[in-house]
Amino acid sequence: MPAVETDQASVRLDKLRQLEALGIDPWGQRFDGRTPIGEIRLLEPLPFDDANPQGQRVTAAGRIVRHRTGGKLHFLELWDQSGRIQLMIRVNKVSELEWKVLNLLDLGDIVGVSGEFGKTKVGELTIQVDQLTFLTKSLEPHPKDVFGLGDMEYRLRHRYLDMIYTPETLKRIQQRVKIVRTIRNHLDDQGYVEVETPTLHAIAGGAAARPFDTHHNALDLDLFVRIALELPLKRLLVGGLEKVYEIGRVFRNEGISPRHNPEFTMLELYCAYGDLFSIMELTEGVFGACVDVLGLGKILPYGECQIDFTGPWPRVLYADIFRQTVGVDLFDEVGVRTAATDNKIHLELRDTKAGTSTPKQHEVLVHELFEHLCEPELAKSHQPTFVYDYPAALCPLTKRKRENPKLAERFELYIAGMELANAYTELNDPITQEATFREQLTGMNADDSMAKMDDDFVRALRHGMPPAGGLGIGIDRLVMLLTNTTTIRDVILFPLLRPETK
RNA sequence: GAGGACGUAGCUCAGCCGGUAGAGCAGCUCACUUUUAAUGAGCGGGUCGUGGGUUCGAUCCCCACCGUCCUCACCA
């Protein structure tokens, strides 16, 4: 007895050949007149009555995701991006050719159908098919969806299957689109203009992160892929755009975690004549619009907790939360060093390559203490909280407070322990800007410094940038928060994975 | 970068003390004109991530590598 061909892909290829033998194009043609399944499901479902058909005629197209065969009666489920619906196909309702095609269908094939919409005896919304059009053959077996897709790697390497068989995935994609569109509408309504600025930068400024390097051959020029949108947008403020924003991809050559992907999407906006506090209100407005568009009320679940987005949100001073949590004053250098030692924070930065170590500057220690002690404290409440007035040394692009130049007018928005937004009253004094670009924080890795001399940017400021407020929002984290998603990989369609090696 | 866990059929997963592999679904064949994870009968399907080692014998123990996940570090 010859070996039976059992490989599922081969079986499917064989069915493709059989379709061709029947004169069917296995890759299909234009198919007009379909209605999304989600809309069909809203029609009035009348019970089927052969003698007196009253149901509405509908046409749909999509993927076969289930197939219950009977002798002369088949039930299938058809899936499209708007939903699923049952198909009922009876032998005496379709042509002989269509019946042969039906018996060659595999899970994952794409078909178009027309027929009467109604409900079966048990009340299931159904299309009783009288026209079956084959549209696309699937040559690979699809995962059986009954128990869902469990393996993260499989889901990420086959995102297209994840979209079909893990309903939450498609839903999150759709919600992300809604959220981003809502942000654009909200800003456009307030007179903001959206722009696109370069991705390739000669100087990777605007944030503290390691950039990706690249090279332009014709100019023989080393370049970086942008790590932030900030500096080009502020040049546009100089140029007279008063309310400007960009939603764009930025790239940071750093670790990957449930909250970090090497490329992610940022919103940055700048508002001439605004400041830190006008930006707080704007931020509440943007978040509020996004929360509203989901239509789930003002209180959304995130993991174990409930987040109440009703504004205005609490505003707490960095210095206050520092004093309360760490127990010493922000500017108490001795106290801070003691607290750092007590909390096992190293007072020196060791450069293992150079074999040297440098004592860390006061503000670096302050912020390490803040991250170790204050951020967990902030995470306990889960509720949106603005933390503002940061140590100036940590903020080279931020305007100093007039009454205390050791503080800068910066806030970060914390929700559920995540940093969701970062905003400044923008530094528009070119003399101070040049000085902060020159000042390297001592005890901080040079790669990580936000202070990178950018003469061209300083020159722009020297021509006069209006006082302004600026805001950055991590769109991926915002979508995570609003869609109750705990890993950034599930709000990014194709997060970075190592390529498979055969 | 450090530590931990995992990798078995198309998918989801079992596999005990080391004795050469199992289930459900999917696939194939047959039956079935109202199913809902349809049902009934039967049949196929595996380089147990890769490469070494120990052993009479390795999916199982050891080492290395590859990949994924988690925690930490990094991300001021």
Side-chain angles (χ1 to χ4, degrees), chain A residues 106-302:
Chain A
D106 281 309
L107 296 181
D109 288 353
I110 298 172
V111 298
V113 296
S114 294
E116 184 189 352
F117 172 73
K119 58 182 177 185
T120 59
K121 284 177 184 167
V122 292
E124 181 72 25
L125 301 184
T126 299
I127 301 171
Q128 181 165 219
V129 174
D130 52 38
Q131 279 178 28
L132 176 68
T133 308
F134 193 87
L135 292 175
T136 294
K137 187 69 199 164
S138 167
L139 288 176
E140 288 290 331
H142 283 225
K144 185 55 191 156
D145 66 325
V146 173
F147 303 107
L149 299 184
D151 180 47
M152 188 57 141
E153 184 177 1
Y154 184 87
R155 291 178 51 215
L156 295 182
R157 293 198 193 280
H158 306 79
R159 186 61 108 183
Y160 38 87
L161 296 177
D162 189 34
M163 292 164 65
I164 300 166
Y165 299 107
T166 310
E168 298 77 25
T169 299
L170 183 61
K171 188 161 183 219
R172 268 194 292 264
I173 291 168
Q174 291 165 334
Q175 285 178 320
R176 179 174 178 136
V177 169
K178 257 192 196 175
I179 289 166
V180 172
R181 178 171 302 135
T182 300
I183 293 171
R184 287 200 161 99
N185 289 343
H186 187 82
L187 295 177
D188 293 348
D189 287 350
Q190 301 196 18
Y192 282 82
V193 293
E194 182 173 11
V195 296
E196 294 177 88
T197 65
T199 304
L200 298 178
H201 288 186
I203 299 168
R210 290 179 58 189
F212 287 90
D213 310 313
T214 185
H215 186 80
H216 187 269
N217 290 337
L219 298 183
D220 187 22
L221 183 64
D222 288 328
L223 291 167
F224 301 103
V225 188
R226 68 183 174 189
I227 58 172
L229 314 176
E230 177 145 354
L231 301 183
L233 291 175
K234 281 155 95 168
R235 286 175 171 93
L236 297 176
L237 284 182
V238 176
L241 294 184
E242 292 161 10
K243 292 179 163 188
V244 64
Y245 75 99
E246 178 167 6
I247 293 175
R249 201 68 61 81
V250 298
F251 303 81
R252 298 185 180 178
N253 202 343
E254 286 165 353
I256 295 175
S257 85
R259 289 180 180 186
H260 299 84
N261 192 60
E263 53 181 300
F264 61 101
T265 303
M266 288 266 290
L267 160 70
E268 286 199 29
L269 70 80
Y270 295 87
C271 177
Y273 314 117
D275 73 356
L276 188 67
F277 299 102
S278 67
I279 295 294
M280 284 184 190
E281 287 166 29
L282 181 76
T283 305
E284 287 166 347
V286 168
F287 276 61
C290 294
V291 169
D292 288 345
V293 80
L294 297 177
L296 302 169
K298 285 288 187 193
I299 300 177
L300 297 181
Y302 188 73

Side-chain angles (χ1 to χ4, degrees), chain A residues 441-459:
Chain A
L441 285 178
T442 48
M444 181 170 287
N445 197 320
D447 282 346
D448 297 336
S449 175
M450 204 197 279
K452 290 175 187 125
M453 178 52 69
D454 188 333
D455 291 315
D456 182 75
F457 178 67
V458 172
R459 182 173 64 187

